[in-house]
């Protein structure tokens, strides 16, 4: 009601909004929802970790779908203060309106599994945000950062006409500019001794299926600022960020008697590294719940291991801290790894604390059998590490789920930081195999069962959806899966095995019938040999500007055998398929032996990132797979 009753009056918009609203725009693609006329941020540093952020933004809405650009949200963390916030607008008829400070609402922000955090948000929505309207925001915030670095992304999901970044630092201070996904661009000096970076006509990062995250694609600037005093900077390099995190966690891994006793109890009877590490890792995965309590620096700093052990809950950095402490008590050393679950967000060019997850690098002893583990790296020191995520309850020690593979992460070790690259698993690490046995009746009814075996990420996703579901929910989930391939089926039973045994494949058996599966066409009966599982997808017929990103590598196989009706003989079968594009391969064939038919196929994805210049190859592959998935075996009725 506050927003709906916001005052309307003429002449309320400031000069900068009036001026920018009158500019002539270039012609944009018809599907462009809005264009950012101005995006400007000014950072005035007052001391270590403290600065004032002054922000201006003006947008012209081009289509009704661009109305969401009228929403403003200002995030505030601990010790931060919003000084002013305003919104102005000029609709297409020229009428002006304004939202003042009192017209904005404040609320808390909930991130996933947070039990509590002290992040809050001031929000408002400008009225009459229809096509043709110009909306402008302005706010000023006293910020308190945890490292002396400010990061800015110049590109958005809509075009940007003009973008400014202004930096002002105290006398005697210095700065360093770091760029990602483009640049560098030189700044101009401002009249008050600051520096200003100005960019024009920045292309939109358009929505495209399966593309990397926005932050992995957009042109970014990182500004590191520091005084001339030695040892003050906690940013600007991976080593500096590692030193900062080392200091932040210095007193976090102190054991208690109870914690030590539990670690030894779990490791009892285990004489080698693998046995001890797996036992303790399993304890963190199953007995310590994921719950986040983040206050102030708590977004980065873990709680003490003793508190986590006593409460039996914590967030990612807490669980990494507790596991590291327990491993140390049984003679195994480990270090923090900071990582982002959006692949490509972190890269070598721009050292930044932009991480959203903490995991662990466990030192491998010389006698350890490295071949037992897929998620290993070697640091600059020559130490071999096993990378493990104790927050992930479904991926066993030795593996990493897909979104943590083939990406950069910060290893915090030996009092410093080192950028590492996590390994990409071979397709054999993520397998999905189906073996089906069926009978086809003379009227086309299909009956039989499929035994499905999953490992790696295929098992991870299925376990995550099944473990806490009741029987009815599990049955509904299986029916939805079958429903993507079949119509009019009846699911007779399902059997789920090894759901809780993380080291083993997840095995699911379906028994079902499907009347009308075979299509009777006069003397012919058409049977699709691909019963279950879609591996093809449709690609848009337009130029592709961004890579295709998949979560993981994969190897998927289907073997379906059919007992054919005695009234029919095989008249025609689809041609075999064998295509290899390098990044992926697909093959299938149909074999007939007497009254039995056997369909086999294999799909292998070797890469998780496919460059846009290979779009046509990917489209061709998907077309071949789609045609094969819908191909039919032709059976011909024989005279009785």
């Amino acid at each position: 009601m506050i927003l709906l009753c916001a005052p309307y009056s003429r002449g309320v918009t400031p000069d900068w909004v009036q001026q920018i609203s009158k500019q002539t725009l270039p012609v944009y693609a018809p599907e462009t929802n809005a264009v950012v006329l101005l995006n400007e941020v000014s950072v005035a540093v007052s001391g270590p970790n403290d600065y004032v952020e002054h922000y201006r933004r003006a947008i012209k809405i081009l289509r009704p779908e661009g109305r969401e650009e009228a929403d403003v949200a200002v995030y505030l963390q601990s010790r931060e203060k919003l000084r002013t916030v305003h919104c102005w607008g000029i609709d297409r008829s020229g009428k002006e309106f304004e939202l003042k400070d009192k017209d904005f609402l404040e609320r808390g922000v909930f991130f996933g599994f947070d039990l509590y955090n002290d992040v809050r948000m001031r929000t408002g929505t400008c009225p009459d945000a229809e096509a043709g309207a110009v909306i402008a925001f302005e706010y000023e915030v006293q910020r308190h950062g945890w490292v002396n670095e400010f990061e800015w992304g110049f590109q958005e999901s809509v075009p940007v006409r003009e973008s400014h970044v202004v930096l002002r630092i105290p006398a005697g201070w210095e700065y360093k500019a770091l760029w990602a996904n483009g640049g560098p661009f030189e700044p101009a000096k401002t009249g008050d001794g600051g520096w200003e970076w100005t960019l024009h006509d920045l292309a939109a990062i358009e929505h495209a299926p399966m593309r990397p995250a926005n932050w992995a694609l957009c042109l970014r600037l990182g500004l590191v600022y520091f005084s001339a005093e030695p040892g003050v900077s906690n940013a600007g390099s991976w080593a500096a960020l590692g030193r900062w995190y080392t200091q932040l966690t210095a007193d976090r891994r102190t054991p208690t008697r109870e914690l030590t006793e539990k670690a030894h109890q779990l490791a009892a009877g285990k004489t080698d590294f693998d046995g001890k590490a797996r036992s303790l890792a399993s304890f963190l995965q199953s007995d310590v719940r994921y719950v986040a309590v983040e206050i102030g620096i708590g977004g980065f700093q873990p709680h003490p291991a003793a508190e986590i052990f006593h409460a039996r809950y914590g967030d990612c950095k807490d669980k990494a801290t507790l596991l590291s402490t327990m491993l140390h008590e049984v003679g195994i050393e480990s270090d923090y790894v900071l990582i982002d679950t959006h692949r490509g967000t972190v890269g070598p060019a721009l050292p930044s604390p932009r991480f959203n997850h903490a995991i662990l690098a466990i030192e491998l002893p010389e006698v350890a059998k490295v071949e037992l583990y897929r998620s290993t790296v070697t640091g600059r020191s020559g130490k071999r590490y096993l990378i493990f995520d104790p927050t992930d309850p479904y991926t066993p020690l030795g593996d990493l789920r897909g979104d943590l593979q083939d990406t950069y992460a910060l290893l915090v070790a030996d009092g410093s930081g080192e950028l590492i690259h996590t390994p990409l698993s071979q397709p054999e690490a993520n397998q999905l195999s189906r073996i089906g046995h069926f009978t086809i009746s003379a009227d086309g009814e299909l009956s039989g069962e499929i035994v499905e075996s999953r490992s790696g990420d295929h098992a991870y996703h299925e376990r995550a959806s099944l473990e806490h579901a009741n029987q009815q929910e599990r049955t509904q989930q299986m029916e939805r899966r079958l429903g993507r391939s079949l119509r009019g089926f009846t699911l007779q039973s399902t059997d789920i095995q090894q759901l809780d045994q993380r080291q083993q494949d997840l095995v699911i058996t379906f028994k079902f019938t499907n009347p009308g599966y075979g299509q009777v066409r006069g003397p012919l009966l058409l049977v699709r040999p691909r019963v279950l599982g879609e591996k093809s997808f449709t690609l848009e017929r337009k130029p592709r500007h961004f890579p295709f990103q998949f979560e993981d590598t994969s190897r998927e196989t289907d073997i379906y055998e059919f007992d054919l009706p005695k009234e029919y003989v095989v008249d025609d079968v689809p041609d075999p398929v064998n295509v290899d594009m390098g990044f992926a391969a697909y093959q299938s064939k149909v074999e007939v032996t007497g009254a039995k038919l056997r369909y086999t196929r294999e799909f292998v994805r070797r890469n998780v990132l496919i460059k846009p210049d290979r779009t046509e190859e990917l489209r061709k592959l998907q077309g071949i797979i789609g045609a094969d998935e819908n191909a039919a075996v032709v059976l011909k009725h024989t005279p009785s």
Side-chain angles (χ1 to χ4, degrees), residues 84-392:
T84 60
V85 59
H86 283 83
C87 172
W88 302 274
I90 306 173
D91 69 14
R92 57 187 171 189
S93 69
K95 184 171 66 175
E96 303 174 12
F97 52 85
E98 177 183 14
L99 293 182
K100 298 182 179 180
D101 193 307
K102 63 183 179 60
D103 301 317
F104 289 81
L105 305 178
E106 182 166 312
R107 63 179 178 85
V109 181
F110 179 73
F111 299 108
F113 290 94
D114 292 11
L115 179 64
Y116 177 81
N117 69 57
D118 57 359
V119 179
R120 60 199 192 280
M121 180 170 63
R122 291 291 294 275
T123 63
T125 299
C126 290
D128 287 355
E130 302 297 333
V134 172
I135 307 295
F137 305 128
E138 185 171 21
Y139 63 77
E140 187 170 278
V141 179
Q142 176 67 54
R143 296 287 191 193
H144 179 79
W146 304 115
V147 297
N148 293 328
E149 181 172 351
F150 178 83
E151 193 169 350
W152 178 260
F154 285 95
Q155 292 172 278
E156 303 185 25
S157 59
V158 296
V160 178
R161 284 283 286 160
E162 189 172 331
S163 186
H164 299 263
V165 178
V166 180
L167 176 66
R168 299 179 180 88
I169 55 178
W173 282 47
E174 300 176 10
Y175 81 89
K176 179 167 62 173
L178 306 168
W179 295 85
N181 301 321
F185 297 93
E186 292 302 317
K189 289 283 289 184
T190 63
D192 55 1
W195 294 267
E196 181 174 10
W197 291 260
T198 301
L199 298 179
H200 296 91
D201 295 317
L202 297 153
I205 301 179
E206 303 167 349
H207 170 75
M210 297 178 291
R211 69 162 171 78
N214 278 17
W215 210 246
L217 297 172
C218 78
L219 173 65
R220 287 158 36 208
L221 167 63
L223 293 173
V224 182
Y225 43 90
F226 47 91
S227 70
E229 298 177 26
V232 172
S233 178
N234 58 6
S237 70
W238 299 115
L241 289 169
R243 290 193 296 270
W244 167 72
Y245 205 71
T246 297
Q247 295 168 1
L248 201 62
T249 57
D251 60 347
R252 304 285 101 170
R253 290 180 280 184
T254 302
T256 61
R257 180 175 57 82
E258 292 79 11
L259 185 154
T260 300
E261 288 176 354
K262 183 64 176 180
H264 286 291
Q265 176 189 338
L266 291 168
K270 312 295 191 302
T271 59
D272 62 351
F273 165 85
D274 188 73
K276 294 177 182 179
R278 287 192 189 279
S279 181
L280 270 62
S282 179
F283 171 74
L284 263 294
Q285 288 179 302
S286 60
D287 285 36
V288 180
R289 293 176 297 143
Y290 184 93
V291 178
V293 178
E294 299 180 349
I295 303 172
I297 192 64
F300 289 100
Q301 186 180 49
H303 292 86
E307 292 181 13
I308 307 161
F309 178 74
H310 177 74
R312 289 296 202 276
Y313 68 76
D315 62 13
C316 59
K317 56 189 178 294
D318 293 332
K319 296 188 75 169
T321 296
L322 179 55
L323 179 56
S324 180
T325 307
M326 298 182 78
L327 286 169
H328 174 78
E329 294 306 288
V330 298
I332 299 173
E333 301 306 320
S334 59
D335 296 296
Y336 291 103
V337 172
L338 305 181
I339 196 168
D340 198 289
T341 54
H342 299 98
R343 184 185 289 120
T345 296
V346 175
L350 204 167
S352 162
R354 182 168 288 276
F355 301 101
N356 65 5
H357 196 36
I359 56 178
L360 210 57
I362 304 172
E363 286 188 29
L364 284 166
E366 290 295 329
V367 296
K369 298 179 179 178
V370 180
E371 61 273 13
L372 294 176
Y373 315 111
R374 298 186 179 98
S375 56
T376 62
V377 299
T378 301
R380 281 197 306 260
S381 65
K383 292 180 182 177
R384 301 178 304 168
Y385 292 99
L386 171 60
I387 310 299
F388 174 66
D389 182 5
T391 304
D392 180 353

Side-chain angles (χ1 to χ4, degrees), residues 535-546:
K535 308 187 191 306
S536 63
F537 55 86
T538 302
L539 294 180
E540 297 176 307
R541 286 283 179 182
K542 65 179 186 179
R544 179 80 181 194
H545 304 294
F546 307 113

Side-chain angles (χ1 to χ4, degrees), residues 47 103 513 519:
D103 301 317
T513 60
Q519 302 175 43

